[in-house]
Amino acid sequence: MVTAYDAMFAALFDEAGVDIILVGDSLGMVIQGHSTTLPVTMNDMLYHCRAVTRGAQRCHLVADMPFMSYQVSLTDALYNAGRLLAEGGMHAVKVEGGQRSVEVISGLTRMGIPVMGHIGLTPQSVHALGGFRVQGTGPEGHDALLADARAVQEAGAYAVVLESLPSQLSKKITAALSIPTIGIGAGPDCNGQVLVGYDLLGLSSGPVPRFVKPYASFYADGIEATARFADEVRHGTFPGSEHCYACKETSPQPITSVAHPDSGRD
Ligand code: KIV
């Protein structure tokens, strides 16, 4: 599973053959530049879900239920999850929380809305957790997370994300469940793995968490390419003649044209 927030990246990950695209509320940090996921709204999610839906052809599509879209009432949860499927084109929603989210998960699944759970480091609870920290390192946290995992499965979730857990605990949870676990910072023994798409491609400017492995250098390559563009413009070597249009001798081209002559873009 990989996160995507727009049509281009959705098309790229879809073509690369990943199974699931997650429109994560991490877009609040990755796209919008916030320090947490808390400011992300339903309208933000719907905007990005529609874009991803237009780019993906094949993948299973999951959207995060954003902060406060499901915490107040089951009615809110049903209404907002329904919007992500009906208006956003998603196939399922992801809900953070274990035992505390059982009512929401079972309410949604009873109404035919597939739910992916998410336990461990649940970023919407960042302030209650005291920051973005590894969870379940001691025996009490260990037992609570195992109980959370069982509760999420029991409530009807079809899969569960395990975020920032010791590998031994993820292994134990994965063995205890019949639904697939998808890990992020949770070691190798989960059934699947998820990364934020930008992290996977090396498209981030600052330090990345320990669990991230960048498989490309999009940020560094982008700086290098853009600097070359600026340099060529300043030195008059771009555009070259191969990038320019000429007038036809008999019927002159109009000076303005609605469609781009090459790609159909405006
Ligand atoms: O919002 C997100 O990107 C996520 C993943 C990190 C699992 O929830």
Side-chain angles (χ1 to χ4, degrees):
M1 181 160 88
V2 178
T3 72
Y5 317 109
D6 65 23
M8 178 62 78
F9 281 95
L12 187 160
F13 298 132
D14 194 273
E15 199 176 325
V18 303
D19 296 318
I20 308 173
I21 291 177
L22 171 67
V23 186
D25 61 356
S26 51
L27 68 87
M29 301 167 81
V30 177
I31 303 291
Q32 298 175 333
H34 295 297
S35 58
T36 71
T37 59
L38 303 187
V40 177
T41 66
M42 269 302 295
N43 282 341
D44 294 336
M45 289 304 298
L46 285 167
Y47 173 87
H48 289 281
C49 286
R50 288 189 200 106
V52 165
T53 301
R54 287 191 284 265
Q57 303 291 319
R58 185 192 49 77
C59 281
H60 177 62
L61 302 177
V62 183
D64 263 324
M65 299 279 292
F67 184 55
M68 297 316 284
S69 69
Y70 60 96
Q71 286 90 340
V72 176
S73 70
L74 182 56
T75 308
D76 275 4
L78 282 164
Y79 175 72
N80 288 319
R83 290 191 75 196
L84 291 168
L85 270 60
E87 299 172 40
M90 297 288 110
H91 303 140
V93 297
K94 179 161 76 59
V95 170
E96 290 187 9
Q99 296 169 83
R100 69 175 189 265
S101 296
V102 155
E103 196 199 337
V104 170
I105 297 171
S106 59
L108 294 178
T109 52
R110 255 201 322 272
M111 287 299 161
I113 298 175
V115 178
M116 180 179 284
H118 182 159
I119 63 169
L121 170 52
T122 45
Q124 291 173 16
S125 310
V126 59
H127 299 308
L129 297 174
F132 294 100
R133 298 165 186 275
V134 182
Q135 301 296 302
T137 47
E140 277 173 27
H142 202 98
D143 292 347
L145 280 158
L146 198 51
D148 275 342
R150 290 202 166 104
V152 163
Q153 170 172 282
E154 190 68 20
Y158 70 95
V160 60
V161 168
L162 307 182
E163 180 163 352
S164 296
L165 301 184
S167 305
Q168 300 91 322
L169 176 56
S170 307
K171 185 174 183 179
K172 201 164 165 186
I173 291 174
T174 301
L177 299 188
S178 56
I179 59 172
T181 59
I182 305 176
I184 178 161
D189 295 306
C190 302
N191 301 112
Q193 296 288 330
V194 53
L195 279 181
V196 167
Y198 279 38
D199 289 344
L200 183 164
L201 295 171
L203 189 46
S204 37
S205 57
V208 289
R210 172 193 173 98
F211 58 76
V212 169
K213 178 176 176 183
Y215 286 81
S217 314
F218 275 33
Y219 195 82
D221 290 351
I223 289 177
E224 199 267 333
T226 310
R228 266 196 300 128
F229 164 70
D231 192 58
E232 290 189 10
V233 169
R234 288 183 186 121
H235 288 90
T237 55
F238 177 83
S241 57
E242 70 275 28
H243 306 116
C244 299
Y245 301 107
C247 287
K248 286 184 190 151
E249 280 179 15
T250 45
S251 58
Q253 291 175 334
I255 291 169
T256 56
S257 145
V258 176
H260 187 287
D262 295 330
S263 67
R265 289 189 195 173
D266 289 350

